[in-house]
Amino acid sequence: SQTIHQWPATLVQPVGSPLSLECTVEGTSNPNLYWYRQAAGRGLQLLFYSVGIGQISSEVPQNLSASRPQDRQFILSSKKLLLSDSGFYLCAWSVRRGERDTDTQYFGPGTRLTVL
Amino acid sequence: AQTVTQSQPEMSVQEAETVTLSCTYDTSESDYYLFWYKQPPSRQMILVIRQEAYKQQNATENRFSVNFQKAAKSFSLKISDSQLGDAAMYFCAYRSAVRGGSQGNLIFGKGTKLSVKP
């Protein structure tokens, strides 16, 4: 069966510090991968998605970036964190089959980031 | 652009009773998917149920069922025999069936907080 991992689970960082959040998927190959952010009391906002190694699409202009160095690894980074980067970050994956992406996204346990 | 609206910020239900959560969406597409996700206090998003727009039959998963009204663009979730463990935020989400680009990504509503009273 497929599983998705995220770490760290929680993180407290000062303003201006760098960030690296990691997401890995097991039990599948060539998945679509996604990074979402959920601010307090709000819904989910898609930040980045990737359909393959080295292929990253950004949905929201910001000081965050994403990379996919391996097929099942997705990393969210920042060189300098802002207060507004605080939130709950969720990674998700979905299966790709032929010309039609499968529809369902499965989420990881998330990382709670607090920027002070 | 597609939008998803959940008009009930909070709902409450008595244990063992039935509750219905509302969701409406706006789209010009004819082929898409709809989802309900549950987010308990642990904050992990858990898939509850999915509906394919081209299927007229309403999806069901044990105590969870949907009322999908395509013409009205409505997608409500019914929870029967509510249990304490059902207490959570519930998010309705839309996904285009078009492959490629951002059109295939999930669009979420703002959520409904469900409380279950013992």
Side-chain angles (χ1 to χ4, degrees):
Chain A
S1 63
Q2 300 87 6
T3 56
I4 179 169
H5 304 280
Q6 287 187 246
W7 62 88
T10 59
L11 189 61
V12 180
Q13 291 284 90
V15 170
S17 64
L19 173 74
S20 181
L21 303 181
E22 189 167 343
C23 169
T24 59
V25 181
E26 296 178 354
T28 187
S29 59
N30 196 27
N32 290 335
L33 295 172
Y34 309 83
W35 277 113
Y36 290 87
R37 177 169 60 198
Q38 185 178 30
R42 302 179 65 178
L44 275 72
Q45 178 187 39
L46 179 66
L47 301 176
F48 301 94
Y49 68 95
S50 171
V51 299
I53 295 174
Q55 300 178 63
I56 309 295
S57 296
S58 174
E59 290 296 300
V60 182
Q62 58 210 330
N63 69 319
L64 299 173
S65 62
S67 61
R68 186 169 176 174
Q70 300 179 40
D71 181 45
R72 291 169 290 176
Q73 185 184 32
F74 204 24
I75 297 173
L76 183 69
S77 304
S78 174
K79 293 181 179 179
K80 289 185 177 181
L81 283 169
L82 306 173
L83 286 174
S84 58
D85 291 324
S86 291
F88 192 64
Y89 288 82
L90 286 156
C91 181
W93 71 276
S94 65
V95 176
R96 296 186 68 208
R97 290 201 188 101
E99 291 301 310
R100 190 176 180 88
D101 293 338
T102 60
D103 52 286
T104 305
Q105 293 183 20
Y106 300 93
F107 287 81
T111 294
R112 186 185 304 274
L113 172 66
T114 303
V115 182
L116 301 175
Chain B
Q2 296 83 14
T3 58
V4 176
T5 302
Q6 293 179 248
S7 59
Q8 306 154 315
E10 296 187 22
M11 291 283 286
S12 180
V13 63
Q14 203 71 32
E15 194 176 7
E17 297 294 313
T18 296
V19 64
T20 299
L21 308 184
S22 301
C23 173
T24 58
Y25 57 95
D26 187 28
T27 184
S28 58
E29 299 175 332
S30 59
D31 193 10
Y32 50 86
Y33 304 95
L34 295 166
F35 306 86
W36 280 97
Y37 282 91
K38 169 185 177 181
Q39 189 177 41
S42 67
R43 300 197 71 178
Q44 180 163 8
M45 295 289 281
I46 302 167
L47 177 69
V48 175
I49 200 165
R50 62 185 283 275
Q51 175 78 41
E52 299 165 356
Y54 61 86
K55 289 187 176 180
Q56 293 186 341
Q57 185 174 5
N58 289 325
T60 62
E61 286 288 343
N62 301 314
R63 298 182 294 108
F64 299 88
S65 61
V66 298
N67 183 6
F68 174 47
Q69 301 290 329
K70 191 172 184 180
K73 298 179 183 176
S74 171
F75 183 60
S76 61
L77 174 70
K78 185 172 81 171
I79 306 175
S80 304
D81 186 25
S82 296
Q83 300 175 1
L84 295 177
D86 294 333
M89 283 290 287
Y90 286 82
F91 290 93
C92 178
Y94 169 101
R95 185 188 192 276
S96 171
V98 174
R99 182 178 181 272
S102 62
Q103 294 173 326
N105 298 319
L106 284 172
I107 299 170
F108 285 87
K110 293 189 175 181
T112 296
K113 183 178 181 180
L114 177 66
S115 301
V116 181
K117 298 179 180 178

